[in-house]
Amino acid sequence: MLGYHRFHPHLVATVKDVRPACFAAPKLVMHTIRRPVAVLPWGFTLMLVACGGNADSLTAPDRQVAFVTVSPAAATIRFGTKIQLTATVKGAAGNVLTDRTVTWSSSNTDIATVTSRGLVVGVAPGSAMITARTEGIEGAASITVSPLVFAALDAGGIHTCGLTTDGAAYCWGGSSGSPIDASTPAVVAGGLMFRSLSAGGVHTCGLATDGAAYCWGAGSSGQLGNGSTAGASAPVAVSGGLTFESLSAGGWHTCGVTRGGVAYCWGRGDLGQLGTGNTAHESTPVGVSGGPSFQSLSAGRRHTCGVSMAGAGYCWGSGGEGTPEEVGGGQTFHYLSAGENHTCGASTDGAGYCWGVGFSGQLGNGSTADTSTPEAVSGGHTFRSLSAGGDHSCGVTTDGIAYCWGFNDGGQLGNGSADRVPHPTPEAVSGGLAFQSVTTGLFHSCGLTAEGAAYCWGWNNFGQLGSNGASANLTTPVPVTGQQ
């Protein structure tokens, strides 16, 4: 810099050593110079400026960590989901220090875990503080993990899926080739929100809020409906741009009803389960031939059934023809459920009926004989819903009591035993829980309370009960992990 004063021969020139901006913290040092300095025209005196040394080697307040902030400072995430936190390190002057190593920790790893890069996973309902620390200075974020509250539940072959009240899809159980492989609920990838879910043999389908259909899991028979036989770990759109009212995933096929009551099926068709009049497999939706307009469909392992707009029951596939045939008996149905080798339904007055293979007592009529026409389920119960599974069936009465019947090799009847014998009449599920609905898989069952709490029982060899990693079969209802 230049300073000036009028020249006087008796004045002593000085040099000011002003530490310039190349240093993080400017300092002013005065040095007296006892020899003349250059005299400039018009009486100016040159004041020398020095800039020397290495700034990084200096200890300065704004090179030391003064603050650590974590963003967001507070957040609520759903069980099983993740959130990325970001730590910002600053010096005393507010300057950001980007060259510091941050370590992350959780105050309660039973509630939330955090990776070395600040990715938080909610592992149980509750709250935890996530801390970012460097050079003895730390900042924190408050993370709350909200519990799962289910609006719907569906048991597949060896897995189970649930839909939360805000439309998020979770699945658990499964094995190679199935939608997931987790013993606790895992959120379905893709971030889609659904209004209904249906778990099949080794695949799952969901109906988005706009009526678009998506499927994921194994696809070897074309059951995902996207024109391919490849599997998918995340939901893929069903081809054709159809708007569906409901979907049902079966063993290796899927069916749906449009808002106009038109039925479509896709996937494995070797037994006529697609309702097309032939036995070809289809990897995209094809219209069901010769049937009425439907209000709902249910895809079983090898056959499909539906309820017409007038309440008549129709079935097609294994045990019949490849086009819809009206179910005998003259009942008017509210709901039908197609299982492994049998079908159950609730009539409009709440009476329960089952038909098909009955060797395990799965028809609930007190017999182990097969029947080709609907027979009343014993006990005179009034059912809100019924579900046909592998070799067993379950139903919920209008007063919320769950009953199951059929084979009981893994505790799937929920009566406290696994006696491996047929139970041909309904037996109350143990535990005294009041259920809104019940659903059956091949060898397990699940129920949903009116408050949105999910419970499962039966075989758990693939984690399909969602009971926090327990591998043993369970003979009474246990809560699914991730709930309050």
Side-chain angles (χ1 to χ4, degrees), residues 164 193 404 449:
T164 66
M193 293 291 106
C404 294
T449 71

Side-chain angles (χ1 to χ4, degrees), residues 373-442:
T373 57
E375 293 193 6
V377 174
S378 301
H381 303 291
T382 301
F383 290 100
R384 178 183 294 139
S385 68
L386 291 172
S387 180
D391 294 333
H392 75 294
S393 307
C394 294
V396 173
T397 63
T398 52
D399 55 0
I401 300 176
Y403 291 88
C404 294
W405 54 95
F407 205 58
N408 194 37
D409 55 343
Q412 58 264 52
L413 302 191
N415 62 2
S417 72
D419 50 16
R420 301 182 63 84
V421 298
H423 294 251
T425 58
E427 299 180 12
V429 173
S430 300
L433 294 163
F435 289 104
Q436 183 73 21
S437 63
V438 68
T439 176
T440 54
L442 277 178

Side-chain angles (χ1 to χ4, degrees), residues 256-283:
V257 177
T258 68
R259 291 174 179 172
V262 180
Y264 290 85
C265 292
W266 55 95
R268 187 169 180 172
D270 60 328
L271 297 172
Q273 58 266 56
L274 303 187
T276 59
N278 60 54
T279 56
H281 297 353
E282 301 287 350
S283 61

Side-chain angles (χ1 to χ4, degrees), residues 81-393:
T81 60
K82 305 173 182 179
I83 186 171
Q84 179 65 58
L85 300 182
T86 302
T88 301
V89 181
K90 293 183 178 181
N95 53 305
V96 177
L97 305 175
T98 60
D99 58 346
R100 306 307 160 95
T101 300
V102 175
T103 58
W104 294 89
S105 62
S106 170
S107 66
N108 191 340
T109 55
D110 290 335
I111 300 297
T113 61
V114 61
T115 70
S116 61
R117 296 182 178 275
L119 182 65
V120 178
V121 181
V123 296
S127 296
M129 295 299 295
I130 306 299
T131 301
R133 181 181 293 104
T134 182
E135 298 180 15
I137 307 299
E138 62 184 37
S142 175
I143 300 297
T144 299
V145 181
S146 62
L148 297 176
V149 180
F150 291 102
L153 204 61
D154 198 41
I158 53 175
H159 72 289
T160 308
C161 293
L163 186 68
T164 66
T165 52
D166 59 353
Y170 283 77
C171 292
W172 54 96
S175 66
S176 177
S178 68
I180 36 73
D181 191 1
S183 59
T184 57
V187 66
V188 173
L192 290 167
M193 293 291 106
F194 296 95
R195 72 182 194 206
S196 67
L197 288 179
S198 180
V202 286
H203 75 293
T204 303
C205 293
L207 195 61
T209 53
D210 61 356
Y214 294 84
C215 295
W216 58 97
S220 59
S221 296
Q223 61 263 48
L224 304 188
N226 65 339
S228 170
T229 55
S233 60
V236 293
V238 173
S239 300
L242 296 165
T243 300
F244 289 96
E245 188 66 25
S246 64
L247 290 176
S248 180
W252 292 275
H253 74 292
T254 309
C255 294
V257 177
T258 68
R259 291 174 179 172
V262 180
Y264 290 85
C265 292
W266 55 95
R268 187 169 180 172
D270 60 328
L271 297 172
Q273 58 266 56
L274 303 187
T276 59
N278 60 54
T279 56
H281 297 353
E282 301 287 350
S283 61
T284 59
V286 291
V288 172
S289 302
S293 295
F294 289 94
Q295 56 177 295
S296 64
L297 293 179
S298 177
R301 187 172 176 85
R302 301 179 179 91
H303 70 294
T304 307
C305 294
V307 178
S308 73
M309 292 295 188
Y314 288 81
C315 292
W316 56 94
S318 180
E321 301 296 330
T323 58
E325 296 181 48
E326 188 169 357
V327 174
Q331 290 84 12
T332 302
F333 289 101
H334 167 65
Y335 179 84
L336 289 181
S337 174
E340 174 85 0
N341 295 301
H342 71 294
T343 305
C344 293
S347 65
T348 52
D349 61 0
Y353 294 87
C354 294
W355 61 97
V357 174
F359 68 89
S360 295
Q362 60 263 56
L363 304 185
N365 59 356
S367 170
T368 55
D370 299 350
T371 178
S372 60
T373 57
E375 293 193 6
V377 174
S378 301
H381 303 291
T382 301
F383 290 100
R384 178 183 294 139
S385 68
L386 291 172
S387 180
D391 294 333
H392 75 294
S393 307

